[in-house]
Amino acid sequence: AKSIGKGIHPDKVKDTLYKVKDAWGSKVVCHGNFIIGLPEDNYETLDTWIPWIEDANCPLDSMIFTPLGIHPGSLMGDNYEKYGYTLEEGGAPTHPIWRNKYWSLREAQQFCADISSKLFHNGRLKVGNSDIFNMINIGYPEEDLIGKAWKDVDFAKLKVLNEQRWEEYKAIIIGKHIV
């Protein structure tokens, strides 16, 4: 992210995350957002930090991988060529299809899908911050969520709880005459 004027040195981030987990353990959920397709990122640079994320001792509980979005009106969107991007035909005006010397938007999207799927299936992807609150709000017990891998979530139970909460909500808002 340094190439776009953002970011803290990865070692400092990792050190801070380990300190947070050491201090609070499972009382805190550490989350990471990762943008794929930044100007100087390539498969080799990803190979330097993806193994850390995959490691069971990584302090991150949840993470999201998203492909870079180049949006008109943003610093990068208005200067995409300066950052080494070209825009291709076929994208929406607000979400152009980009390419740089390492990636295309579609390759970044596929990488995000692949790493997310891998982390889901190996249990490294855990229920994260806003998801915990959303699931508690529909009645999923908090103690069943902290540190829980997404692959171990009872989605049938989640669906039932969500449907029950929706019916309760309708009864409160619309009244007791629910069809």
Side-chain angles (χ1 to χ4, degrees):
K2 288 276 187 207
S3 59
I4 60 169
K6 297 182 179 186
I8 301 169
H9 192 279
D11 291 338
K12 187 172 185 174
V13 172
K14 290 176 185 179
D15 184 52
T16 301
L17 289 168
Y18 283 115
K19 286 177 181 176
V20 165
K21 277 297 190 177
D22 286 345
W24 290 291
S26 65
K27 294 178 184 175
V28 66
V29 176
C30 293
H31 176 80
N33 288 319
F34 299 91
I35 300 170
I36 305 302
L38 291 171
E40 297 305 318
D41 282 346
N42 56 46
Y43 287 101
E44 290 75 32
T45 59
L46 296 181
D47 285 343
T48 65
W49 57 268
I50 292 292
W52 177 73
I53 289 171
E54 294 174 327
D55 188 312
N57 295 318
C58 175
L60 289 175
D61 299 296
S62 68
M63 54 217 84
I64 294 176
F65 298 86
T66 55
L68 173 70
I70 296 179
H71 305 286
S74 68
L75 181 63
M76 183 178 279
D78 292 343
N79 300 286
Y80 62 89
E81 291 169 324
K82 171 185 164 188
Y83 293 98
Y85 294 89
T86 58
L87 302 183
E88 299 179 359
E89 295 293 322
T94 57
H95 293 87
I97 298 171
W98 56 262
R99 173 176 296 282
N100 70 16
K101 62 184 173 181
Y102 303 113
W103 301 87
S104 69
L105 172 59
R106 287 185 177 79
E107 290 167 334
Q109 289 169 328
Q110 187 62 55
F111 181 88
C112 292
D114 291 347
I115 190 66
S116 296
S117 177
K118 181 178 181 179
L119 294 169
F120 174 89
H121 290 291
N122 72 15
R124 273 292 296 126
L125 197 57
K126 300 205 173 22
V127 178
N129 301 336
S130 62
D131 294 317
I132 289 173
F133 296 122
N134 292 336
M135 293 164 77
I136 289 170
N137 283 338
I138 63 167
Y140 210 103
E142 180 180 358
E143 60 274 7
D144 291 354
L145 296 172
I146 305 298
K148 187 176 204 77
W150 268 112
K151 73 178 187 76
D152 297 329
V153 169
D154 184 344
F155 287 99
K157 176 181 180 179
L158 193 59
K159 182 179 179 190
V160 168
L161 290 169
N162 193 45
E163 289 168 355
Q164 288 171 346
R165 187 65 69 189
W166 180 240
E167 291 303 318
E168 293 169 9
Y169 175 75
K170 288 193 300 188
I172 292 167
I173 300 301
I174 300 169
K176 298 294 181 192
H177 306 289
I178 298 175
V179 180

